[in-house]
PDB file of all heavy atoms in Angstrom:
ATOM      1  N   PRO A 196       0.810  -1.228   0.000  1.00  0.00           N
ATOM      2  CA  PRO A 196       0.000   0.000   0.000  1.00  0.00           C
ATOM      3  C   PRO A 196       0.845   1.280   0.000  1.00  0.00           C
ATOM      4  O   PRO A 196       0.516   2.250  -0.687  1.00  0.00           O
ATOM      5  CB  PRO A 196      -0.830  -0.105   1.288  1.00  0.00           C
ATOM      6  CG  PRO A 196      -0.887  -1.567   1.586  1.00  0.00           C
ATOM      7  CD  PRO A 196       0.446  -2.104   1.133  1.00  0.00           C
ATOM      8  N   GLN A 197       1.944   1.279   0.742  1.00  0.00           N
ATOM      9  CA  GLN A 197       2.810   2.463   0.780  1.00  0.00           C
ATOM     10  C   GLN A 197       3.518   2.657  -0.555  1.00  0.00           C
ATOM     11  O   GLN A 197       3.657   3.783  -1.035  1.00  0.00           O
ATOM     12  CB  GLN A 197       3.824   2.342   1.920  1.00  0.00           C
ATOM     13  CG  GLN A 197       3.220   2.484   3.289  1.00  0.00           C
ATOM     14  CD  GLN A 197       2.564   1.209   3.809  1.00  0.00           C
ATOM     15  OE1 GLN A 197       2.622   0.148   3.193  1.00  0.00           O
ATOM     16  NE2 GLN A 197       1.923   1.312   4.952  1.00  0.00           N
ATOM     17  N   VAL A 198       3.988   1.554  -1.147  1.00  0.00           N
ATOM     18  CA  VAL A 198       4.671   1.646  -2.440  1.00  0.00           C
ATOM     19  C   VAL A 198       3.705   2.183  -3.493  1.00  0.00           C
ATOM     20  O   VAL A 198       4.068   3.038  -4.310  1.00  0.00           O
ATOM     21  CB  VAL A 198       5.264   0.280  -2.850  1.00  0.00           C
ATOM     22  CG1 VAL A 198       5.772   0.314  -4.281  1.00  0.00           C
ATOM     23  CG2 VAL A 198       6.383  -0.116  -1.895  1.00  0.00           C
ATOM     24  N   GLU A 199       2.485   1.723  -3.462  1.00  0.00           N
ATOM     25  CA  GLU A 199       1.478   2.168  -4.425  1.00  0.00           C
ATOM     26  C   GLU A 199       1.303   3.688  -4.375  1.00  0.00           C
ATOM     27  O   GLU A 199       1.153   4.331  -5.403  1.00  0.00           O
ATOM     28  CB  GLU A 199       0.155   1.470  -4.112  1.00  0.00           C
ATOM     29  CG  GLU A 199      -0.900   1.649  -5.171  1.00  0.00           C
ATOM     30  CD  GLU A 199      -2.107   0.772  -4.898  1.00  0.00           C
ATOM     31  OE1 GLU A 199      -1.936  -0.400  -4.539  1.00  0.00           O
ATOM     32  OE2 GLU A 199      -3.227   1.292  -5.046  1.00  0.00           O
ATOM     33  N   ARG A 200       1.365   4.252  -3.194  1.00  0.00           N
ATOM     34  CA  ARG A 200       1.153   5.697  -3.031  1.00  0.00           C
ATOM     35  C   ARG A 200       2.414   6.535  -3.233  1.00  0.00           C
ATOM     36  O   ARG A 200       2.338   7.699  -3.612  1.00  0.00           O
ATOM     37  CB  ARG A 200       0.584   5.973  -1.650  1.00  0.00           C
ATOM     38  CG  ARG A 200      -0.848   5.503  -1.506  1.00  0.00           C
ATOM     39  CD  ARG A 200      -1.366   5.706  -0.094  1.00  0.00           C
ATOM     40  NE  ARG A 200      -2.699   5.193   0.075  1.00  0.00           N
ATOM     41  CZ  ARG A 200      -2.997   3.916   0.345  1.00  0.00           C
ATOM     42  NH1 ARG A 200      -2.041   3.024   0.456  1.00  0.00           N
ATOM     43  NH2 ARG A 200      -4.251   3.537   0.506  1.00  0.00           N
ATOM     44  N   LEU A 201       3.587   5.971  -2.948  1.00  0.00           N
ATOM     45  CA  LEU A 201       4.812   6.777  -2.894  1.00  0.00           C
ATOM     46  C   LEU A 201       5.786   6.578  -4.052  1.00  0.00           C
ATOM     47  O   LEU A 201       6.723   7.360  -4.201  1.00  0.00           O
ATOM     48  CB  LEU A 201       5.543   6.487  -1.578  1.00  0.00           C
ATOM     49  CG  LEU A 201       4.780   6.810  -0.299  1.00  0.00           C
ATOM     50  CD1 LEU A 201       5.547   6.312   0.918  1.00  0.00           C
ATOM     51  CD2 LEU A 201       4.487   8.297  -0.201  1.00  0.00           C
ATOM     52  N   ALA A 202       5.596   5.546  -4.864  1.00  0.00           N
ATOM     53  CA  ALA A 202       6.584   5.220  -5.902  1.00  0.00           C
ATOM     54  C   ALA A 202       6.704   6.298  -6.977  1.00  0.00           C
ATOM     55  O   ALA A 202       7.687   6.323  -7.709  1.00  0.00           O
ATOM     56  CB  ALA A 202       6.274   3.869  -6.536  1.00  0.00           C
ATOM     57  N   GLY A 203       5.758   7.211  -7.061  1.00  0.00           N
ATOM     58  CA  GLY A 203       5.855   8.290  -8.042  1.00  0.00           C
ATOM     59  C   GLY A 203       6.906   9.326  -7.696  1.00  0.00           C
ATOM     60  O   GLY A 203       7.385  10.047  -8.574  1.00  0.00           O
ATOM     61  N   SER A 204       7.285   9.390  -6.421  1.00  0.00           N
ATOM     62  CA  SER A 204       8.242  10.419  -6.017  1.00  0.00           C
ATOM     63  C   SER A 204       9.421   9.885  -5.212  1.00  0.00           C
ATOM     64  O   SER A 204      10.330  10.637  -4.874  1.00  0.00           O
ATOM     65  CB  SER A 204       7.524  11.484  -5.183  1.00  0.00           C
ATOM     66  OG  SER A 204       6.934  10.904  -4.032  1.00  0.00           O
ATOM     67  N   LEU A 205       9.417   8.586  -4.894  1.00  0.00           N
ATOM     68  CA  LEU A 205      10.495   7.995  -4.112  1.00  0.00           C
ATOM     69  C   LEU A 205      10.917   6.661  -4.709  1.00  0.00           C
ATOM     70  O   LEU A 205      10.116   5.968  -5.336  1.00  0.00           O
ATOM     71  CB  LEU A 205      10.036   7.748  -2.664  1.00  0.00           C
ATOM     72  CG  LEU A 205       9.706   8.976  -1.826  1.00  0.00           C
ATOM     73  CD1 LEU A 205       8.978   8.563  -0.559  1.00  0.00           C
ATOM     74  CD2 LEU A 205      10.961   9.756  -1.501  1.00  0.00           C
ATOM     75  N   ARG A 206      12.158   6.302  -4.484  1.00  0.00           N
ATOM     76  CA  ARG A 206      12.646   4.961  -4.803  1.00  0.00           C
ATOM     77  C   ARG A 206      12.459   4.117  -3.548  1.00  0.00           C
ATOM     78  O   ARG A 206      13.013   4.433  -2.494  1.00  0.00           O
ATOM     79  CB  ARG A 206      14.123   5.008  -5.189  1.00  0.00           C
ATOM     80  CG  ARG A 206      14.690   3.665  -5.548  1.00  0.00           C
ATOM     81  CD  ARG A 206      16.149   3.793  -5.916  1.00  0.00           C
ATOM     82  NE  ARG A 206      16.726   2.502  -6.246  1.00  0.00           N
ATOM     83  CZ  ARG A 206      18.008   2.302  -6.474  1.00  0.00           C
ATOM     84  NH1 ARG A 206      18.854   3.328  -6.442  1.00  0.00           N
ATOM     85  NH2 ARG A 206      18.459   1.099  -6.753  1.00  0.00           N
ATOM     86  N   LEU A 207      11.688   3.056  -3.664  1.00  0.00           N
ATOM     87  CA  LEU A 207      11.343   2.229  -2.508  1.00  0.00           C
ATOM     88  C   LEU A 207      11.920   0.836  -2.685  1.00  0.00           C
ATOM     89  O   LEU A 207      11.548   0.102  -3.600  1.00  0.00           O
ATOM     90  CB  LEU A 207       9.826   2.176  -2.352  1.00  0.00           C
ATOM     91  CG  LEU A 207       9.208   3.576  -2.186  1.00  0.00           C
ATOM     92  CD1 LEU A 207       7.731   3.548  -2.463  1.00  0.00           C
ATOM     93  CD2 LEU A 207       9.499   4.126  -0.813  1.00  0.00           C
ATOM     94  N   VAL A 208      12.850   0.497  -1.815  1.00  0.00           N
ATOM     95  CA  VAL A 208      13.529  -0.793  -1.857  1.00  0.00           C
ATOM     96  C   VAL A 208      13.003  -1.626  -0.701  1.00  0.00           C
ATOM     97  O   VAL A 208      12.999  -1.177   0.449  1.00  0.00           O
ATOM     98  CB  VAL A 208      15.060  -0.615  -1.745  1.00  0.00           C
ATOM     99  CG1 VAL A 208      15.757  -1.962  -1.701  1.00  0.00           C
ATOM    100  CG2 VAL A 208      15.579   0.244  -2.895  1.00  0.00           C
ATOM    101  N   ARG A 209      12.555  -2.844  -1.025  1.00  0.00           N
ATOM    102  CA  ARG A 209      12.015  -3.756  -0.004  1.00  0.00           C
ATOM    103  C   ARG A 209      12.756  -5.075  -0.096  1.00  0.00           C
ATOM    104  O   ARG A 209      13.086  -5.539  -1.187  1.00  0.00           O
ATOM    105  CB  ARG A 209      10.528  -4.000  -0.239  1.00  0.00           C
ATOM    106  CG  ARG A 209       9.732  -2.730  -0.192  1.00  0.00           C
ATOM    107  CD  ARG A 209       8.293  -2.959  -0.558  1.00  0.00           C
ATOM    108  NE  ARG A 209       8.151  -3.110  -2.007  1.00  0.00           N
ATOM    109  CZ  ARG A 209       7.099  -3.667  -2.602  1.00  0.00           C
ATOM    110  NH1 ARG A 209       6.111  -4.151  -1.884  1.00  0.00           N
ATOM    111  NH2 ARG A 209       7.041  -3.751  -3.903  1.00  0.00           N
ATOM    112  N   LEU A 210      12.975  -5.692   1.047  1.00  0.00           N
ATOM    113  CA  LEU A 210      13.740  -6.933   1.149  1.00  0.00           C
ATOM    114  C   LEU A 210      12.978  -7.939   1.990  1.00  0.00           C
ATOM    115  O   LEU A 210      12.442  -7.586   3.043  1.00  0.00           O
ATOM    116  CB  LEU A 210      15.090  -6.633   1.821  1.00  0.00           C
ATOM    117  CG  LEU A 210      15.953  -7.801   2.289  1.00  0.00           C
ATOM    118  CD1 LEU A 210      16.527  -8.538   1.087  1.00  0.00           C
ATOM    119  CD2 LEU A 210      17.074  -7.296   3.191  1.00  0.00           C
ATOM    120  N   ASP A 211      12.898  -9.187   1.499  1.00  0.00           N
ATOM    121  CA  ASP A 211      12.440 -10.285   2.362  1.00  0.00           C
ATOM    122  C   ASP A 211      13.645 -10.707   3.196  1.00  0.00           C
ATOM    123  O   ASP A 211      14.666 -11.143   2.649  1.00  0.00           O
ATOM    124  CB  ASP A 211      11.991 -11.499   1.531  1.00  0.00           C
ATOM    125  CG  ASP A 211      10.543 -11.444   1.111  1.00  0.00           C
ATOM    126  OD1 ASP A 211       9.795 -10.589   1.614  1.00  0.00           O
ATOM    127  OD2 ASP A 211      10.160 -12.261   0.264  1.00  0.00           O
ATOM    128  N   ARG A 212      13.541 -10.563   4.511  1.00  0.00           N
ATOM    129  CA  ARG A 212      14.635 -10.996   5.379  1.00  0.00           C
ATOM    130  C   ARG A 212      14.811 -12.510   5.277  1.00  0.00           C
ATOM    131  O   ARG A 212      13.893 -13.231   4.883  1.00  0.00           O
ATOM    132  CB  ARG A 212      14.325 -10.575   6.808  1.00  0.00           C
ATOM    133  CG  ARG A 212      14.352  -9.056   6.965  1.00  0.00           C
ATOM    134  CD  ARG A 212      13.786  -8.583   8.266  1.00  0.00           C
ATOM    135  NE  ARG A 212      14.441  -9.247   9.380  1.00  0.00           N
ATOM    136  CZ  ARG A 212      13.941  -9.234  10.614  1.00  0.00           C
ATOM    137  NH1 ARG A 212      12.815  -8.606  10.878  1.00  0.00           N
ATOM    138  NH2 ARG A 212      14.573  -9.851  11.586  1.00  0.00           N
ATOM    139  N   ARG A 213      15.991 -12.986   5.623  1.00  0.00           N
ATOM    140  CA  ARG A 213      16.267 -14.441   5.589  1.00  0.00           C
ATOM    141  C   ARG A 213      15.163 -15.213   6.291  1.00  0.00           C
ATOM    142  O   ARG A 213      14.744 -14.864   7.387  1.00  0.00           O
ATOM    143  CB  ARG A 213      17.576 -14.769   6.303  1.00  0.00           C
ATOM    144  CG  ARG A 213      18.790 -14.418   5.531  1.00  0.00           C
ATOM    145  CD  ARG A 213      20.029 -14.797   6.314  1.00  0.00           C
ATOM    146  NE  ARG A 213      21.175 -14.264   5.607  1.00  0.00           N
ATOM    147  CZ  ARG A 213      22.218 -14.973   5.251  1.00  0.00           C
ATOM    148  NH1 ARG A 213      22.301 -16.250   5.571  1.00  0.00           N
ATOM    149  NH2 ARG A 213      23.206 -14.415   4.589  1.00  0.00           N
ATOM    150  N   GLY A 214      14.724 -16.286   5.624  1.00  0.00           N
ATOM    151  CA  GLY A 214      13.720 -17.152   6.211  1.00  0.00           C
ATOM    152  C   GLY A 214      12.308 -16.602   6.174  1.00  0.00           C
ATOM    153  O   GLY A 214      11.406 -17.186   6.756  1.00  0.00           O
ATOM    154  N   HIS A 215      12.091 -15.494   5.498  1.00  0.00           N
ATOM    155  CA  HIS A 215      10.769 -14.871   5.397  1.00  0.00           C
ATOM    156  C   HIS A 215      10.410 -14.714   3.920  1.00  0.00           C
ATOM    157  O   HIS A 215      11.290 -14.526   3.078  1.00  0.00           O
ATOM    158  CB  HIS A 215      10.761 -13.497   6.071  1.00  0.00           C
ATOM    159  CG  HIS A 215      11.014 -13.556   7.535  1.00  0.00           C
ATOM    160  ND1 HIS A 215      12.274 -13.555   8.068  1.00  0.00           N
ATOM    161  CD2 HIS A 215      10.155 -13.635   8.575  1.00  0.00           C
ATOM    162  CE1 HIS A 215      12.186 -13.618   9.388  1.00  0.00           C
ATOM    163  NE2 HIS A 215      10.903 -13.664   9.718  1.00  0.00           N
ATOM    164  N   GLY A 216       9.111 -14.736   3.630  1.00  0.00           N
ATOM    165  CA  GLY A 216       8.671 -14.561   2.249  1.00  0.00           C
ATOM    166  C   GLY A 216       9.335 -15.577   1.345  1.00  0.00           C
ATOM    167  O   GLY A 216       9.338 -16.775   1.640  1.00  0.00           O
ATOM    168  N   LEU A 217       9.952 -15.099   0.269  1.00  0.00           N
ATOM    169  CA  LEU A 217      10.611 -15.990  -0.687  1.00  0.00           C
ATOM    170  C   LEU A 217      12.124 -16.031  -0.527  1.00  0.00           C
ATOM    171  O   LEU A 217      12.829 -16.557  -1.384  1.00  0.00           O
ATOM    172  CB  LEU A 217      10.250 -15.574  -2.121  1.00  0.00           C
ATOM    173  CG  LEU A 217       8.757 -15.652  -2.464  1.00  0.00           C
ATOM    174  CD1 LEU A 217       8.517 -15.194  -3.899  1.00  0.00           C
ATOM    175  CD2 LEU A 217       8.209 -17.047  -2.239  1.00  0.00           C
ATOM    176  N   SER A 218      12.636 -15.476   0.570  1.00  0.00           N
ATOM    177  CA  SER A 218      14.076 -15.571   0.851  1.00  0.00           C
ATOM    178  C   SER A 218      14.367 -16.861   1.607  1.00  0.00           C
ATOM    179  O   SER A 218      13.578 -17.289   2.447  1.00  0.00           O
ATOM    180  CB  SER A 218      14.549 -14.374   1.691  1.00  0.00           C
ATOM    181  OG  SER A 218      14.550 -13.194   0.926  1.00  0.00           O
ATOM    182  N   THR A 219      15.502 -17.451   1.310  1.00  0.00           N
ATOM    183  CA  THR A 219      15.916 -18.678   1.984  1.00  0.00           C
ATOM    184  C   THR A 219      16.811 -18.330   3.168  1.00  0.00           C
ATOM    185  O   THR A 219      17.140 -17.170   3.391  1.00  0.00           O
ATOM    186  CB  THR A 219      16.658 -19.618   1.012  1.00  0.00           C
ATOM    187  OG1 THR A 219      17.845 -18.963   0.545  1.00  0.00           O
ATOM    188  CG2 THR A 219      15.779 -19.989  -0.173  1.00  0.00           C
ATOM    189  N   GLY A 220      17.219 -19.331   3.912  1.00  0.00           N
ATOM    190  CA  GLY A 220      18.138 -19.125   5.027  1.00  0.00           C
ATOM    191  C   GLY A 220      17.444 -19.091   6.369  1.00  0.00           C
ATOM    192  O   GLY A 220      16.220 -19.140   6.473  1.00  0.00           O
ATOM    193  N   THR A 221      18.258 -18.997   7.405  1.00  0.00           N
ATOM    194  CA  THR A 221      17.773 -18.952   8.779  1.00  0.00           C
ATOM    195  C   THR A 221      17.818 -17.515   9.275  1.00  0.00           C
ATOM    196  O   THR A 221      18.862 -16.862   9.185  1.00  0.00           O
ATOM    197  CB  THR A 221      18.657 -19.840   9.680  1.00  0.00           C
ATOM    198  OG1 THR A 221      18.629 -21.171   9.161  1.00  0.00           O
ATOM    199  CG2 THR A 221      18.158 -19.841  11.106  1.00  0.00           C
ATOM    200  N   PRO A 222      16.712 -17.005   9.800  1.00  0.00           N
ATOM    201  CA  PRO A 222      16.691 -15.627  10.281  1.00  0.00           C
ATOM    202  C   PRO A 222      17.636 -15.400  11.458  1.00  0.00           C
ATOM    203  O   PRO A 222      17.928 -16.322  12.213  1.00  0.00           O
ATOM    204  CB  PRO A 222      15.246 -15.406  10.728  1.00  0.00           C
ATOM    205  CG  PRO A 222      14.475 -16.605  10.340  1.00  0.00           C
ATOM    206  CD  PRO A 222      15.440 -17.682   9.991  1.00  0.00           C
ATOM    207  N   GLY A 223      18.082 -14.181  11.599  1.00  0.00           N
ATOM    208  CA  GLY A 223      18.910 -13.782  12.731  1.00  0.00           C
ATOM    209  C   GLY A 223      19.247 -12.314  12.613  1.00  0.00           C
ATOM    210  O   GLY A 223      19.409 -11.790  11.517  1.00  0.00           O
ATOM    211  N   LEU A 224      19.367 -11.625  13.749  1.00  0.00           N
ATOM    212  CA  LEU A 224      19.622 -10.193  13.739  1.00  0.00           C
ATOM    213  C   LEU A 224      20.936  -9.851  13.032  1.00  0.00           C
ATOM    214  O   LEU A 224      20.995  -8.922  12.229  1.00  0.00           O
ATOM    215  CB  LEU A 224      19.626  -9.638  15.161  1.00  0.00           C
ATOM    216  CG  LEU A 224      19.823  -8.129  15.291  1.00  0.00           C
ATOM    217  CD1 LEU A 224      18.779  -7.373  14.489  1.00  0.00           C
ATOM    218  CD2 LEU A 224      19.797  -7.717  16.739  1.00  0.00           C
ATOM    219  N   GLY A 225      21.983 -10.606  13.310  1.00  0.00           N
ATOM    220  CA  GLY A 225      23.267 -10.356  12.648  1.00  0.00           C
ATOM    221  C   GLY A 225      23.169 -10.487  11.148  1.00  0.00           C
ATOM    222  O   GLY A 225      23.727  -9.679  10.394  1.00  0.00           O
ATOM    223  N   TRP A 226      22.445 -11.517  10.694  1.00  0.00           N
ATOM    224  CA  TRP A 226      22.259 -11.700   9.258  1.00  0.00           C
ATOM    225  C   TRP A 226      21.439 -10.561   8.672  1.00  0.00           C
ATOM    226  O   TRP A 226      21.698 -10.100   7.558  1.00  0.00           O
ATOM    227  CB  TRP A 226      21.581 -13.026   8.957  1.00  0.00           C
ATOM    228  CG  TRP A 226      22.457 -14.214   9.067  1.00  0.00           C
ATOM    229  CD1 TRP A 226      22.280 -15.284   9.892  1.00  0.00           C
ATOM    230  CD2 TRP A 226      23.658 -14.491   8.331  1.00  0.00           C
ATOM    231  NE1 TRP A 226      23.285 -16.192   9.720  1.00  0.00           N
ATOM    232  CE2 TRP A 226      24.153 -15.729   8.765  1.00  0.00           C
ATOM    233  CE3 TRP A 226      24.369 -13.802   7.357  1.00  0.00           C
ATOM    234  CZ2 TRP A 226      25.306 -16.299   8.252  1.00  0.00           C
ATOM    235  CZ3 TRP A 226      25.523 -14.357   6.850  1.00  0.00           C
ATOM    236  CH2 TRP A 226      25.984 -15.590   7.299  1.00  0.00           C
ATOM    237  N   ALA A 227      20.417 -10.114   9.385  1.00  0.00           N
ATOM    238  CA  ALA A 227      19.548  -9.051   8.884  1.00  0.00           C
ATOM    239  C   ALA A 227      20.357  -7.789   8.585  1.00  0.00           C
ATOM    240  O   ALA A 227      20.194  -7.169   7.533  1.00  0.00           O
ATOM    241  CB  ALA A 227      18.429  -8.761   9.883  1.00  0.00           C
ATOM    242  N   VAL A 228      21.246  -7.432   9.481  1.00  0.00           N
ATOM    243  CA  VAL A 228      22.065  -6.238   9.307  1.00  0.00           C
ATOM    244  C   VAL A 228      23.040  -6.425   8.147  1.00  0.00           C
ATOM    245  O   VAL A 228      23.170  -5.561   7.273  1.00  0.00           O
ATOM    246  CB  VAL A 228      22.812  -5.906  10.615  1.00  0.00           C
ATOM    247  CG1 VAL A 228      23.810  -4.778  10.409  1.00  0.00           C
ATOM    248  CG2 VAL A 228      21.815  -5.556  11.712  1.00  0.00           C
ATOM    249  N   ALA A 229      23.720  -7.559   8.099  1.00  0.00           N
ATOM    250  CA  ALA A 229      24.687  -7.828   7.032  1.00  0.00           C
ATOM    251  C   ALA A 229      24.009  -7.920   5.673  1.00  0.00           C
ATOM    252  O   ALA A 229      24.541  -7.430   4.668  1.00  0.00           O
ATOM    253  CB  ALA A 229      25.458  -9.109   7.339  1.00  0.00           C
ATOM    254  N   ASP A 230      22.841  -8.543   5.613  1.00  0.00           N
ATOM    255  CA  ASP A 230      22.114  -8.660   4.344  1.00  0.00           C
ATOM    256  C   ASP A 230      21.663  -7.298   3.843  1.00  0.00           C
ATOM    257  O   ASP A 230      21.746  -7.003   2.651  1.00  0.00           O
ATOM    258  CB  ASP A 230      20.908  -9.588   4.492  1.00  0.00           C
ATOM    259  CG  ASP A 230      21.298 -11.043   4.701  1.00  0.00           C
ATOM    260  OD1 ASP A 230      22.452 -11.417   4.417  1.00  0.00           O
ATOM    261  OD2 ASP A 230      20.428 -11.808   5.157  1.00  0.00           O
ATOM    262  N   LEU A 231      21.187  -6.460   4.745  1.00  0.00           N
ATOM    263  CA  LEU A 231      20.774  -5.119   4.355  1.00  0.00           C
ATOM    264  C   LEU A 231      21.957  -4.320   3.810  1.00  0.00           C
ATOM    265  O   LEU A 231      21.841  -3.653   2.783  1.00  0.00           O
ATOM    266  CB  LEU A 231      20.149  -4.395   5.543  1.00  0.00           C
ATOM    267  CG  LEU A 231      19.721  -2.959   5.287  1.00  0.00           C
ATOM    268  CD1 LEU A 231      18.736  -2.862   4.133  1.00  0.00           C
ATOM    269  CD2 LEU A 231      19.133  -2.363   6.553  1.00  0.00           C
ATOM    270  N   ALA A 232      23.094  -4.407   4.462  1.00  0.00           N
ATOM    271  CA  ALA A 232      24.292  -3.713   3.986  1.00  0.00           C
ATOM    272  C   ALA A 232      24.705  -4.233   2.612  1.00  0.00           C
ATOM    273  O   ALA A 232      25.055  -3.451   1.720  1.00  0.00           O
ATOM    274  CB  ALA A 232      25.431  -3.872   4.991  1.00  0.00           C
ATOM    275  N   ALA A 233      24.638  -5.536   2.410  1.00  0.00           N
ATOM    276  CA  ALA A 233      24.988  -6.129   1.115  1.00  0.00           C
ATOM    277  C   ALA A 233      24.032  -5.666   0.016  1.00  0.00           C
ATOM    278  O   ALA A 233      24.451  -5.378  -1.106  1.00  0.00           O
ATOM    279  CB  ALA A 233      24.997  -7.657   1.212  1.00  0.00           C
ATOM    280  N   LEU A 234      22.743  -5.600   0.324  1.00  0.00           N
ATOM    281  CA  LEU A 234      21.768  -5.135  -0.669  1.00  0.00           C
ATOM    282  C   LEU A 234      22.017  -3.678  -1.025  1.00  0.00           C
ATOM    283  O   LEU A 234      21.994  -3.308  -2.204  1.00  0.00           O
ATOM    284  CB  LEU A 234      20.344  -5.322  -0.144  1.00  0.00           C
ATOM    285  CG  LEU A 234      19.248  -4.865  -1.116  1.00  0.00           C
ATOM    286  CD1 LEU A 234      19.261  -5.684  -2.400  1.00  0.00           C
ATOM    287  CD2 LEU A 234      17.892  -4.939  -0.446  1.00  0.00           C
ATOM    288  N   CYS A 235      22.299  -2.844  -0.039  1.00  0.00           N
ATOM    289  CA  CYS A 235      22.592  -1.441  -0.312  1.00  0.00           C
ATOM    290  C   CYS A 235      23.833  -1.297  -1.189  1.00  0.00           C
ATOM    291  O   CYS A 235      23.834  -0.481  -2.137  1.00  0.00           O
ATOM    292  CB  CYS A 235      22.747  -0.662   0.990  1.00  0.00           C
ATOM    293  SG  CYS A 235      21.183  -0.414   1.859  1.00  0.00           S
ATOM    294  N   ARG A 236      24.858  -2.079  -0.923  1.00  0.00           N
ATOM    295  CA  ARG A 236      26.058  -2.045  -1.782  1.00  0.00           C
ATOM    296  C   ARG A 236      25.698  -2.498  -3.195  1.00  0.00           C
ATOM    297  O   ARG A 236      26.113  -1.883  -4.176  1.00  0.00           O
ATOM    298  CB  ARG A 236      27.151  -2.951  -1.207  1.00  0.00           C
ATOM    299  CG  ARG A 236      27.940  -2.336  -0.077  1.00  0.00           C
ATOM    300  CD  ARG A 236      29.185  -3.165   0.278  1.00  0.00           C
ATOM    301  NE  ARG A 236      28.880  -4.550   0.584  1.00  0.00           N
ATOM    302  CZ  ARG A 236      28.513  -5.007   1.781  1.00  0.00           C
ATOM    303  NH1 ARG A 236      28.392  -4.174   2.797  1.00  0.00           N
ATOM    304  NH2 ARG A 236      28.272  -6.291   1.963  1.00  0.00           N
ATOM    305  N   HIS A 237      24.949  -3.586  -3.303  1.00  0.00           N
ATOM    306  CA  HIS A 237      24.542  -4.142  -4.598  1.00  0.00           C
ATOM    307  C   HIS A 237      23.780  -3.108  -5.439  1.00  0.00           C
ATOM    308  O   HIS A 237      23.970  -3.023  -6.654  1.00  0.00           O
ATOM    309  CB  HIS A 237      23.691  -5.386  -4.366  1.00  0.00           C
ATOM    310  CG  HIS A 237      23.117  -5.993  -5.587  1.00  0.00           C
ATOM    311  ND1 HIS A 237      23.875  -6.692  -6.505  1.00  0.00           N
ATOM    312  CD2 HIS A 237      21.840  -5.986  -6.062  1.00  0.00           C
ATOM    313  CE1 HIS A 237      23.095  -7.103  -7.490  1.00  0.00           C
ATOM    314  NE2 HIS A 237      21.865  -6.685  -7.241  1.00  0.00           N
ATOM    315  N   LEU A 238      22.935  -2.314  -4.785  1.00  0.00           N
ATOM    316  CA  LEU A 238      22.120  -1.318  -5.496  1.00  0.00           C
ATOM    317  C   LEU A 238      22.771   0.051  -5.581  1.00  0.00           C
ATOM    318  O   LEU A 238      22.211   0.979  -6.161  1.00  0.00           O
ATOM    319  CB  LEU A 238      20.754  -1.196  -4.806  1.00  0.00           C
ATOM    320  CG  LEU A 238      19.892  -2.467  -4.828  1.00  0.00           C
ATOM    321  CD1 LEU A 238      18.619  -2.247  -4.020  1.00  0.00           C
ATOM    322  CD2 LEU A 238      19.562  -2.872  -6.260  1.00  0.00           C
ATOM    323  N   GLY A 239      23.951   0.199  -4.980  1.00  0.00           N
ATOM    324  CA  GLY A 239      24.653   1.476  -5.013  1.00  0.00           C
ATOM    325  C   GLY A 239      24.036   2.530  -4.112  1.00  0.00           C
ATOM    326  O   GLY A 239      24.174   3.731  -4.358  1.00  0.00           O
ATOM    327  N   LEU A 240      23.359   2.097  -3.049  1.00  0.00           N
ATOM    328  CA  LEU A 240      22.757   3.044  -2.100  1.00  0.00           C
ATOM    329  C   LEU A 240      23.770   3.406  -1.020  1.00  0.00           C
ATOM    330  O   LEU A 240      24.502   2.554  -0.547  1.00  0.00           O
ATOM    331  CB  LEU A 240      21.525   2.411  -1.432  1.00  0.00           C
ATOM    332  CG  LEU A 240      20.404   1.964  -2.378  1.00  0.00           C
ATOM    333  CD1 LEU A 240      19.316   1.261  -1.594  1.00  0.00           C
ATOM    334  CD2 LEU A 240      19.854   3.151  -3.147  1.00  0.00           C
TER     335      LEU A 240
END
């Protein structure tokens, strides 16, 4: 719902954390932080 309203003026990046949605792996706080940093590097953010 937020993306539907805001994508006209913002770039909205969403991630399925490990073990959630269609992402594989075992969830964990350390992984969540490292995965987010890796995604930001991958996208040049």
